[in-house]
């Protein structure tokens, strides 16, 4: 097991979280800090990836949602409160310099998280993310960016949110006829991100052979550049 940091940042605007990722990635690449995993939720936001098509985003006028173009792989997706977002900042020099394996391992961590709730999830050949089958319905999106062998971005697991924007606001993941679901919908009961987080953390530790030291947000601010993110600590 390798020591790593774990940061739970709560609900964080997308662009702030992206800056945090970049700052942490620089420090991980330089060997200043160990692998670090950030868990959070986002206010409503649509993010596009490097393969997003021109007509993929079709948000109705007046919708209360931000649209952000990112540097991750993949196509468009939707984030909102009730979704567990995981951003692993890992040095793949310590985990095998294999991007495909890293993505499969990230999916495996999600599959194990869902398994803790007796939800049987899987991968579907040719598609990214994690799915439930019969019929196929997507429960977790995945997109990564790996400069200098240090990972950024990650996965977004639908815990308990309205999945309608995945199909009404965007052509999510570029899939015209995809069905999207949530853990709460599948279980038939309310569920919070707080309920799921401990199982997600344990799965990440198992799959990537990590041993987390959880840092409070106010301590985490020391890991990235001041004063840009001091307000995150003040909000905690």
């Amino acid at each position: 097991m390798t020591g790593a940091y774990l940061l739970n940042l709560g609900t964080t605007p997308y662009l702030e979280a992206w800056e945090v990722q970049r700052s942490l990635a620089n420090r991980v690449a330089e060997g200043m800090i160990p692998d670090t995993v950030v868990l959070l939720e986002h206010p409503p936001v649509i993010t596009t990836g490097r393969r997003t098509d021109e007509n993929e985003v079709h948000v109705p006028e007046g919708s209360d949602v931000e649209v952000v173009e990112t540097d991750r792989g993949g196509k468009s997706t939707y984030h909102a409160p009730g979704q567990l977002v995981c951003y692993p900042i890992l040095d793949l020099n310590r985990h095998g310099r294999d991007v495909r394996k890293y993505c499969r391992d990230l999916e495996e961590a999600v599959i194990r998280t869902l398994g803790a709730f007796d939800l049987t999830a899987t991968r579907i050949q040719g598609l990214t993310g994690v799915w439930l089958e019969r019929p196929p319905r997507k429960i977790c999106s995945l997109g990564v960016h790996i400069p200098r062998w240090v990972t950024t971005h990650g996965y977004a697991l639908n815990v308990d949110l309205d999945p309608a924007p995945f199909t009404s606001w965007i052509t999510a993941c570029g899939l015209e006829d995809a069905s999207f679901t949530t853990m709460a919908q599948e279980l038939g009961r309310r569920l919070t991100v707080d309920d799921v987080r401990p199982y997600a953390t344990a799965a990440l530790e198992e799959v990537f052979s990590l041993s987390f030291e959880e840092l409070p947000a106010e301590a985490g601010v020391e890991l990235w550049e001041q004063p840009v993110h001091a307000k995150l600590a003040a909000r905690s």
Side-chain angles (χ1 to χ4, degrees):
M1 302 289 281
T2 303
Y5 289 153
L6 177 68
L7 285 169
N8 291 306
L9 295 186
T11 303
T12 305
Y14 188 85
L15 289 174
E16 287 187 15
W18 194 6
E19 288 186 53
V20 168
Q21 289 185 73
R22 287 189 291 238
S23 296
L24 291 173
N26 287 336
R27 282 150 180 75
V28 169
E30 293 164 5
M32 297 173 63
I33 61 173
D35 291 338
T36 300
V37 172
V38 180
L39 299 177
L40 48 74
E41 297 174 73
H42 286 309
V45 59
I46 289 167
T47 63
T48 62
R50 292 192 301 273
R51 294 193 300 111
T52 298
D53 295 330
E54 182 178 346
N55 298 321
E56 201 169 301
V57 178
H58 36 80
V59 181
E61 187 175 349
S63 299
D64 185 18
V65 63
E66 187 178 14
V67 180
V68 178
E69 182 178 350
T70 79
D71 60 358
R72 63 165 172 78
K75 291 178 171 284
S76 58
T77 195
Y78 170 70
H79 301 296
Q83 185 184 66
L84 176 61
V85 179
C86 173
Y87 293 136
I89 316 298
L90 308 184
D91 185 348
L92 291 192
N93 290 297
R94 296 193 284 265
H95 299 276
R97 293 169 58 147
D98 186 329
V99 174
R100 183 179 296 274
K101 179 181 183 300
Y102 169 67
C103 291
R104 299 296 82 79
D105 286 347
L106 205 53
E107 290 169 347
E108 178 62 25
V110 175
I111 290 169
R112 294 189 189 191
T113 301
L114 292 166
F117 291 84
D118 296 323
L119 292 172
T120 302
T122 188
R123 305 170 182 86
I124 294 181
Q125 183 69 30
L127 301 175
T128 61
V130 176
W131 299 72
L132 305 181
E133 288 193 301
R134 296 186 181 89
R137 51 213 188 275
K138 192 166 191 177
I139 197 167
C140 180
S141 301
L142 185 146
V144 302
H145 181 51
I146 309 179
R148 297 189 293 169
W149 292 108
V150 175
T151 66
T152 54
H153 302 285
Y155 74 68
L157 174 59
N158 298 337
V159 176
D160 193 352
L161 72 160
D162 180 5
F166 283 104
T167 51
S168 62
W169 289 0
I170 56 176
T171 305
C173 311
L175 303 173
E176 290 286 352
D177 300 316
S179 176
F180 289 80
T181 190
T182 69
M183 294 178 69
Q185 183 173 316
E186 297 296 328
L187 294 170
R189 61 182 173 88
R190 299 298 302 226
L191 202 64
T192 69
V193 167
D194 288 342
D195 294 329
V196 177
R197 189 184 296 111
Y199 298 95
T201 299
L204 289 162
E205 285 186 313
E206 292 171 3
V207 171
F208 291 101
S209 297
L210 299 174
S211 178
F212 284 128
E213 175 187 354
E214 186 168 351
L215 302 180
E218 60 268 25
V221 78
E222 298 174 4
L223 304 181
W224 51 73
E225 295 175 359
Q226 292 273 21
V228 177
H229 303 292
K231 57 186 172 182
L232 289 178
R235 195 168 62 220
S236 66

